[in-house]
Amino acid sequence: GASIACCRVSEVSRAASKLPPGFAVRYEPAVTPLEIGGDWYDVLRVGDNRIGIIVGDCVGRGLAAAAVMGQLRASARALLLTGAQPAMLLEELDAVAELIPNAFCTTVFLAVLDTESGEFSYSCAGHLPAILAAPGKPHTLIIDARSVPLAVQRKASRPQAAVTLPPGSTLMLYTDGLVERRDISLDDGIEHLGKTVAGGMTLT
């Protein structure tokens, strides 16, 4: 199995749905539990051998951002349970975001993992790339299937791509608070995070 690490989002979430044996999720908030904002994640079973995964980041902070986040999160969860593919799910979430004041420019990484084959299908709406670390290999950035954030005008349909998660791998999903620093570039922050995740593969 693979472990899915969803780290440094600032909304304290309920435990993810029970996952199949061999799969685990760890959530690490970046802020104190009393602080609220527009970041969220969800990991839930959407079939006998499928796991839905989503990380999102709404613009702004405080109650206003949290209100938008709550509506988008509930909608995203319901859409995941329909069994549709990630690109189509983002298309439908776009339609929802257009009806929610201040949901403009929300970033989302949405994926569905087949727990039998290891196929990880995904689509990214302006969000930071996921990081994949596999035993004995350098980390890789999942950078395909990218398009604009939610509710932003676009001409093309949402793209979709897929990779295979090797046994024993770790997938890191996160929001910008983990990698944005004034003294380093965003690319350097992501690279440092990738090396940290890969280095953690050797810890016992």
Side-chain angles (χ1 to χ4, degrees):
S3 59
I4 303 165
C6 300
C7 295
R8 298 292 181 178
V9 294
S10 57
E11 182 257 339
V12 178
S13 176
R14 293 169 293 178
S17 301
K18 186 177 180 181
L19 301 180
F23 292 83
V25 172
R26 177 167 180 176
Y27 161 74
E28 182 68 31
V31 297
T32 61
L34 294 180
E35 187 171 340
I36 59 175
D39 299 358
W40 89 93
Y41 88 99
D42 234 330
V43 179
L44 66 157
R45 295 186 73 161
V46 294
D48 291 339
N49 63 324
R50 300 172 79 237
I51 299 173
I53 305 160
I54 186 167
V55 169
D57 186 358
C58 301
V59 175
R61 296 183 178 180
L63 285 172
V68 174
M69 175 274 294
Q71 294 176 77
L72 287 175
R73 184 186 178 201
S75 298
R77 189 178 182 89
L79 290 170
L80 275 167
L81 291 172
T82 67
Q85 291 296 312
M88 179 56 67
L89 291 173
L90 279 187
E91 295 272 0
E92 294 172 348
L93 196 57
D94 256 325
V96 173
E98 289 175 358
L99 300 176
I100 300 174
N102 301 319
F104 176 76
C105 239
T106 294
T107 66
V108 175
F109 188 102
L110 191 150
V112 175
L113 172 64
D114 187 311
T115 59
E116 292 185 347
S117 66
E119 183 179 70
F120 180 77
S121 303
Y122 65 95
S123 187
C124 179
H127 202 76
L128 297 167
I131 296 170
L132 176 61
K137 296 181 179 179
H139 72 276
T140 58
L141 299 183
I142 298 180
I143 58 175
D144 294 326
R146 299 186 63 81
S147 54
V148 297
L150 295 184
V152 174
Q153 187 174 8
R154 56 190 165 82
K155 296 180 179 179
S157 299
R158 295 282 183 186
Q160 181 171 311
V163 296
T164 299
L165 302 190
S169 60
T170 294
L171 179 69
M172 181 79 166
L173 303 174
Y174 53 97
T175 55
D176 55 10
L178 186 60
V179 292
E180 283 191 342
R181 297 291 183 272
R182 292 183 179 180
D183 55 340
I184 63 173
S185 69
L186 183 60
D187 288 343
D188 287 344
I190 294 172
E191 179 65 17
H192 176 73
L193 177 60
K195 290 179 178 177
T196 301
V197 174
M201 300 291 293
T202 61
L203 299 178
T204 56

